[in-house]
Amino acid sequence: MAVKPILFNTEMVRAILDGRKDATRRIVKGFIPNDAVWGYTAFTPKGYISCRGTFADGYGEKFFKLPCEPGNILYVRETWKKAPNGYYYYEDWQKNVIADITKWKPSIHMPKEAARIWLKVTDVRVERLQDITPKGAESEGVGNLFYDDIGYGEKNYGTEVDTEYGIAKEQFAWLWESTIKKSDLDRYGWDANPWVWVIEFERCEKPEGV
């Protein structure tokens, strides 16, 4: 059983804790988004996925290593701080309290022993970003996000309002672009429609012996 770290920002940590998020999408790097075509998406025995397409260095077949596999355990790295009796987590604190607490440490530096959220991977697959369904968008934890929360209120991403999930897909598009550097929007933004890893998971207890 592999145990791996995964990074989430403060809003997504809250979504996991609230039970609103059980999936995440991460960029599959190495493709030219407009030209790459998956020949097939069969998992290989060594945890890779095989594909054919147009890559940065030409056309052919390549093997991409999965970021994780079903059954793997992920521990969430979030913004944190060491405390005398354990750890503080940025997400737990009110904004007026945060100002009085210094030296918060970035999530990427969180050690495994500080993790409080553990996830079991239930599925990993690849798809184009815009292929996300309204239900899939809701699984990303965007249900309570609004224009002002992520600063993309003036852009229309052209998604339709769903009868059951409302503007969840539009909200996910706003959220996605808020995480991409402006210099990378032409390659990885919503309109670029890049290939992404879709990682689905469920909450679990910390494994014994970890």
Side-chain angles (χ1 to χ4, degrees):
M1 176 188 64
V3 177
K4 300 182 178 183
I6 187 168
L7 297 173
F8 285 106
N9 63 26
T10 299
E11 291 80 8
M12 294 300 97
V13 168
R14 171 43 54 194
I16 293 173
L17 291 174
D18 288 348
R20 293 183 288 106
K21 183 176 180 66
D22 54 23
T24 186
R25 281 160 174 75
R26 305 294 166 108
I27 295 168
V28 180
K29 295 185 177 180
F31 278 104
I32 300 173
N34 293 331
D35 297 332
V37 178
W38 293 95
Y40 50 92
T41 56
F43 293 110
T44 69
K46 296 182 179 180
Y48 286 78
I49 198 166
S50 174
C51 60
R52 289 183 179 275
T54 302
F55 309 97
D57 56 354
Y59 179 82
E61 181 178 22
K62 283 191 175 183
F63 293 89
F64 285 74
K65 185 172 178 58
L66 277 66
C68 54
E69 298 181 60
N72 286 173
I73 301 297
L74 307 177
Y75 63 93
V76 174
R77 283 178 165 172
E78 55 183 303
T79 304
W80 64 292
K81 174 187 170 82
K82 188 76 170 67
N85 59 342
Y87 299 93
Y88 291 136
Y89 302 97
Y90 187 89
E91 190 280 329
D92 289 340
W93 292 82
Q94 298 292 331
K95 291 183 178 180
N96 61 338
V97 177
I98 290 173
D100 298 328
I101 299 177
T102 59
K103 301 296 183 183
W104 286 99
K105 295 185 178 182
S107 55
I108 196 169
H109 293 152
M110 171 183 270
K112 188 187 301 181
E113 58 267 23
R116 60 171 173 166
I117 303 175
W118 295 80
L119 310 171
K120 182 178 181 179
V121 178
T122 57
D123 187 43
V124 182
R125 63 182 184 275
V126 289
E127 65 182 31
R128 297 299 287 266
L129 179 63
Q130 293 182 18
D131 288 342
I132 189 172
T133 63
K135 181 179 179 180
E138 186 181 69
S139 295
E140 286 273 358
V142 300
N144 70 337
L145 294 177
F146 297 93
Y147 293 99
D148 294 340
D149 293 329
I150 47 183
Y152 275 82
E154 296 181 0
K155 185 171 181 179
N156 184 341
Y157 292 94
T159 61
E160 297 180 357
V161 177
D162 185 80
T163 55
E164 184 174 359
Y165 298 99
I167 61 169
K169 188 169 180 176
E170 185 86 354
Q171 289 175 314
F172 174 75
W174 305 330
L175 176 65
W176 178 267
E177 293 229 327
S178 73
T179 67
I180 304 298
K181 295 180 181 179
K182 289 184 178 181
S183 59
D184 288 337
L185 286 175
D186 61 333
R187 292 184 296 168
Y188 303 129
W190 179 260
D191 291 338
N193 197 21
W195 288 95
V196 293
W197 298 109
V198 182
I199 304 170
E200 297 180 349
F201 52 79
E202 60 187 14
R203 291 283 301 275
C204 68
E205 297 296 325
K206 180 179 179 179
E208 294 185 8
V210 174

